[in-house]
Amino acid sequence: MIIDIHGHYTTAPAALGDWRDRQVAALQDPALAPSPAELQISDDDLRESIEANQLRLMDERGIDLTVFSPRASFMAHHIGSFETSAEWAAICNELCYRVSRLYPERFVPAAMLPQSPGVDPATCLPELTRCVEENGAVALNLNPDPSGGHWTAPPLTDRYWYPIYEKMVEYDIPAMVHVSTSINPAFHTTGAHYLNADTTAVMQLIQGNLFADFPTLKLVIPHGGGAAPYHWGRFRGLAMALGKPALEEHLLDNVFFDTCVYHQPGIDLLLNVMPTKNILFASEMIGAVRDIDPGTGHNFDDTHRYIDAAGLNKADQAAIQELNARTVYPRLNALLKQQGR
C-alpha cells in the first residue's frame, strides 16, 4: 500500500474560514466573538470537500491512506492569545477527526497544537491528549516558530520544548516539524519560511544533543528536509567542527524526511543522499504548489510519479511508500493491523 504521511485539510468548507475571520475580528471587539457551536459544517459538507479534492487525487495517484492534519498556514499561532489558539486548534482538529470517521480506511488524523508565542508548551498537552486518546491521532505537527517568521522561540533542543517531547514519548507518536504563516515580509510563507524552518530544524538538532535525553523521539522534517539533503556535506562538516558524532549516529535514528519535493532531480538527490530508512512518502497535495508542471504535463505535487521513476528496487520502494511509515508511526501501524492491513 501507499501511505502519504503529509496531508493537510486545505479544502475545508468555506464556513471554517468565515468562523476564523469572526474569531480574529473579535480580538478587537470581543462582542463579535463567535462560539464554536455557531460553526455548522455537516457530514455532507465534509464529503463534498474531500471527495472532489483529496480523495479524487488519492484514487488517481494510487495513494491508499493519508495522515491528515489541519491546514498548516491556517494554524497561525501568532494570532491572539493561547485561548485563541486553543479554541481554533480544537475546531480544526475535530474536522480532521470527522473526516477520518467518514473515511476510516483513507484518512487518519494528526494533531495541530494550540501553540502561542512565549507561552509554555505544556499548555498544549490537554489538546494533544484529547486528540490522541479520543480522536486517535497518530502524530502531531510542531511549530518551531509560533511567532510567524520572527523566530522568538528557543531552539528545538531547548528544555522549553521538553513537555511536548515527554508526552510524545509516552504516546509513541512522532512530530512533523512544520511552521505556519509568515508575517515577516522578508519570508514568503511557503517558498521561504517553510524551507528555512526545515533547514533550521536540522541545524538546531545538529547543534544540540536532544536524542541523548529522548532516544526514542521521532521527528519528521517535511518538504524533503529543506536544504539538508542538498547541503549534507556542509552539515556533516559542521557536525565535525562542533565535536558531534557522525550524523548517522547523531540524527538518523530519530530524524526522518518526507518526499514533498516537486521535481524529479530533487527526489533523486534526496534518495541518493539519505538512507532509505529515513525517507517517508508524502505529497502535501493541494498545498503550496497546485499547478501542472508544463515540462511534464502532471501536477508538481504528484510525487508518486517521481518515486516510480527513480529506479528504486522493490524493497526500497516498499519501505519508502509504506513500511517506514509503519515504523515511525506506531499508532498508525496498530490501526492498520486492526483493519487487517
Side-chain angles (χ1 to χ4, degrees), residues 2 4 61 63 258-264 267 280-285 298-310 321:
I2 299 177
D4 186 336
R61 299 174 186 182
I63 297 169
D258 78 12
T259 63
C260 293
V261 179
Y262 295 149
H263 67 153
Q264 191 68 50
I267 287 286
L280 306 174
F281 177 77
S283 69
E284 201 178 14
M285 66 168 63
H298 300 289
N299 288 85
F300 283 101
D301 64 6
D302 187 358
T303 55
H304 184 207
R305 289 183 177 274
Y306 307 139
I307 298 298
D308 273 350
Q321 293 182 160

Side-chain angles (χ1 to χ4, degrees), residues 66-148:
T66 294
V67 178
F68 205 49
S69 63
R71 185 174 181 174
S73 62
F74 268 29
M75 294 192 298
H77 294 120
H78 60 277
I79 293 176
S81 63
F82 166 75
E83 288 73 22
T84 308
S85 287
E87 190 173 49
W88 179 232
I91 285 173
C92 292
N93 285 329
E94 193 66 18
L95 289 181
C96 290
Y97 168 63
R98 288 176 59 193
V99 169
S100 75
R101 295 288 291 176
L102 292 172
Y103 307 96
E105 295 192 351
R106 307 305 300 276
F107 296 93
V108 62
M112 164 185 166
L113 297 181
Q115 296 175 246
S116 189
V119 177
D120 186 346
T123 57
C124 296
L125 299 185
E127 178 64 11
L128 174 55
T129 297
R130 185 186 73 85
C131 287
V132 173
E133 296 188 0
E134 298 179 20
N135 291 2
V138 300
L140 61 92
N141 289 342
L142 179 64
N143 184 352
D145 174 38
S147 71

